[in-house]
Amino acid sequence: MTYYYKLGEIPPKRHIQFRQPDGSLYQEELVSSKGFSGIYSNLYHIYPPTRVEKVLESVPYGVKPLKDRPLLQTHLKTSQIGTTGEDYLEARKMLMINNDVHIGICNPSGKQMDYYYKNGEADELIYVHDGSGWLYSQFGKLRFQKGDYIVIPRTTIYKMAFDEGEVRLLVCEIFSPIETPRRYRNELGQLLEHSPFCERDIHPPSELITEREQGEYLVKIKKNGFLHHYVYKHSPFDLVGWDGFLYPYTFSIYDFEPITGRIHQPPPVHQTFQAHNLVVCSFVPRLFDYHPLAIPAPYNHSNIDSDEVLFYAEGEFMSRKGIDRGSFTLHPGGLPHGPHPGMIEKSIGKKETHEYAVMIDTFRPLYITEEALPYVDENYPMSWKE
Ligand SMILES: [Fe+2]
């Protein structure tokens, strides 16, 4: 859930005549979620968004889950991976998937895209682990940098332009709307006083892009395991204005205000986003629990409803040994998980942590993919032995 925002020129009411300088009508497009019951935006195009010039061949684009793998605590050693491809879409390696979410990495070496991209089936949540740049979309220019979550609603047509330097992205395709946690919003959608962030931390696009020129514009659309190739004569960034609640935005993990307590606080205090059958949490530097007998490390935990993915972003993670920056753990439901030997005692008396991590808890089982197999740490399931 975001807030009302507008860029460029819009008519005083919805669905009325809004004319171009030559007297022709601008083309209105309503982009709405949950049918007509969710958030939406109204977009005003120079050209009809429906005017397709050519449809080229669709190319398979998807991953398969490894469903016959035994139940195992999993550590994916993805910290040492360099670039995963030149092109933004080719560089995406999805590692853990189910019907609600695909989780992976994308470390592209290329800095520009010579095509446009639209995810036709999933909202995208991109955590910028390293790198910076611009997300260009119909909604305008959106700056992103290290530590940002970029939330991109499905069907947003966009292009990434990365600055010089290494780019490492955590990519989640989420097959339901990505929202702020319900309990942090009042009945009208405003973030409440006890929310760990507020509207000031949510950054919409800053400037509209209006491209009037005609030419050949390729849009790659991801849907149903394929990339579909659509060619238009006009740029998809042909808007003169838009308004509404639906647009891409950034939220920086550095703006998440941690909630702490006298004794160990459970993961929901770190919750940042919700979607159907999953939550996303941000672990950030914070003061540890201050009860005189507090144990800062988490207790052993058996979550009977969820699989837990942790992406270790920065710093030493207090409960783990042998996990490096940029790797993942997957602790599946059905097995308890907890601190490595010695880590509970070691945590006692510590005053603060400098860790950053992104956690994705899914309420349906996750499966690793073939792409993930080369990174599986075979020793991890036994790593709790003394
Ligand atoms: Fe847990």
Side-chain angles (χ1 to χ4, degrees):
M1 191 76 163
T2 42
Y3 47 83
Y4 177 78
Y5 191 70
K6 67 178 174 182
L7 277 179
E9 297 297 315
I10 54 169
K13 285 186 84 66
R14 296 175 288 186
H15 325 317
I16 60 169
Q17 295 173 32
F18 179 37
R19 293 198 181 272
Q20 310 205 25
D22 69 359
S24 63
L25 287 167
Y26 283 114
Q27 298 283 326
E28 187 183 34
E29 179 191 8
L30 169 70
V31 180
S32 67
S33 62
K34 299 181 180 173
F36 290 88
S37 307
I39 56 169
Y40 62 90
S41 285
N42 271 298
L43 284 53
Y44 295 90
H45 296 269
I46 295 170
Y47 304 101
T50 47
R51 191 187 286 166
V52 177
E53 188 66 17
K54 276 184 282 190
V55 180
L56 307 177
E57 209 173 325
S58 301
V59 177
Y61 186 72
V63 279
K64 288 211 171 77
L66 293 173
K67 289 202 168 173
D68 52 0
R69 193 166 174 265
L71 176 68
L72 288 169
Q73 307 284 22
T74 303
H75 168 210
L76 299 179
K77 298 171 85 166
T78 43
S79 61
Q80 297 308 315
I81 299 181
T83 57
T84 51
E86 186 183 345
D87 170 62
Y88 177 62
L89 293 183
E90 178 198 296
R92 286 179 170 214
K93 305 292 173 203
M94 302 322 271
L95 305 171
M96 291 163 275
I97 67 173
N98 68 15
N99 288 337
D100 303 310
V101 60
H102 291 184
I103 302 164
I105 54 172
C106 176
N107 302 349
S109 60
K111 300 297 170 201
Q112 300 284 339
M113 291 163 70
D114 58 2
Y115 59 90
Y116 300 79
Y117 167 60
K118 157 155 89 171
N119 194 324
E121 58 190 355
D123 283 19
E124 295 191 347
L125 178 70
I126 296 171
Y127 174 74
V128 184
H129 192 208
D130 277 314
S132 58
W134 291 91
L135 180 140
Y136 299 121
S137 77
Q138 304 122 293
F139 298 94
K141 294 180 183 178
L142 181 62
R143 181 76 187 154
F144 61 82
Q145 51 208 339
K146 184 181 166 77
D148 279 346
Y149 289 103
I150 314 172
V151 177
I152 311 169
R154 74 203 56 192
T155 78
T156 299
I157 301 175
Y158 74 90
K159 250 184 187 185
M160 293 293 231
F162 299 105
D163 299 336
E164 280 309 309
E166 200 180 6
V167 176
R168 296 169 69 93
L169 308 173
L170 164 66
V171 176
C172 301
E173 287 182 62
I174 298 178
F175 295 81
S176 58
I178 300 169
E179 300 169 339
T180 52
R182 179 69 194 88
R183 69 179 183 285
Y184 289 140
R185 279 183 261 132
N186 67 21
E187 60 184 334
L188 297 178
Q190 186 178 14
L191 290 162
L192 289 162
E193 270 293 302
H194 68 288
S195 170
F197 54 92
C198 78
E199 284 78 4
R200 294 183 198 183
D201 302 316
I202 291 175
H203 307 289
S206 57
E207 192 188 329
L208 198 65
I209 308 164
T210 307
E211 295 178 347
R212 296 168 188 278
E213 305 76 32
Q214 302 231 23
E216 193 168 88
Y217 298 87
L218 172 64
V219 182
K220 296 187 183 181
I221 305 173
K222 180 181 181 288
K223 189 154 186 180
N224 293 334
F226 286 91
L227 276 180
H228 308 280
H229 291 66
Y230 272 64
V231 179
Y232 297 83
K233 255 189 170 168
H234 62 272
S235 168
F237 301 167
D238 69 333
L239 272 73
V240 293
W242 65 268
D243 77 331
F245 281 63
L246 188 144
Y247 48 84
Y249 65 89
T250 59
F251 167 71
S252 173
I253 199 166
Y254 305 129
D255 285 331
F256 188 93
E257 295 300 331
I259 297 169
T260 58
R262 235 160 75 92
I263 57 169
H264 190 83
Q265 296 294 298
V269 300
H270 308 286
Q271 193 185 346
T272 315
F273 300 106
Q274 68 177 29
H276 179 62
N277 280 342
L278 68 103
V279 297
V280 178
C281 300
S282 304
F283 290 80
V284 301
R286 61 194 181 279
L287 295 179
F288 274 141
D289 325 316
Y290 48 88
H291 185 285
L293 296 176
I295 300 176
Y299 30 74
N300 295 307
H301 179 209
S302 200
N303 189 331
I304 65 173
D305 295 310
S306 64
D307 281 13
E308 295 189 7
V309 172
L310 259 178
F311 176 75
Y312 300 84
E314 310 293 340
E316 283 276 299
F317 210 71
M318 57 156 157
S319 56
R320 298 269 169 272
K321 280 180 184 167
I323 307 282
D324 294 323
R325 177 183 190 271
S327 33
F328 291 91
T329 53
L330 164 61
H331 298 131
L335 292 173
H337 56 273
H340 272 130
M343 300 308 266
I344 294 178
E345 283 288 355
K346 203 175 153 190
S347 78
I348 293 172
K350 290 219 169 129
K351 296 287 177 229
E352 60 186 331
T353 169
H354 299 288
E355 73 200 14
Y356 286 94
V358 176
M359 185 170 86
I360 304 144
D361 271 15
T362 66
F363 305 144
R364 303 293 304 157
L366 280 164
Y367 300 95
I368 70 164
T369 64
E370 235 163 63
E371 303 257 35
L373 273 183
Y375 309 113
V376 172
D377 173 1
E378 299 295 343
N379 298 321
Y380 189 64
M382 304 300 151
S383 63
W384 282 263
K385 277 189 190 172
E386 289 294 339

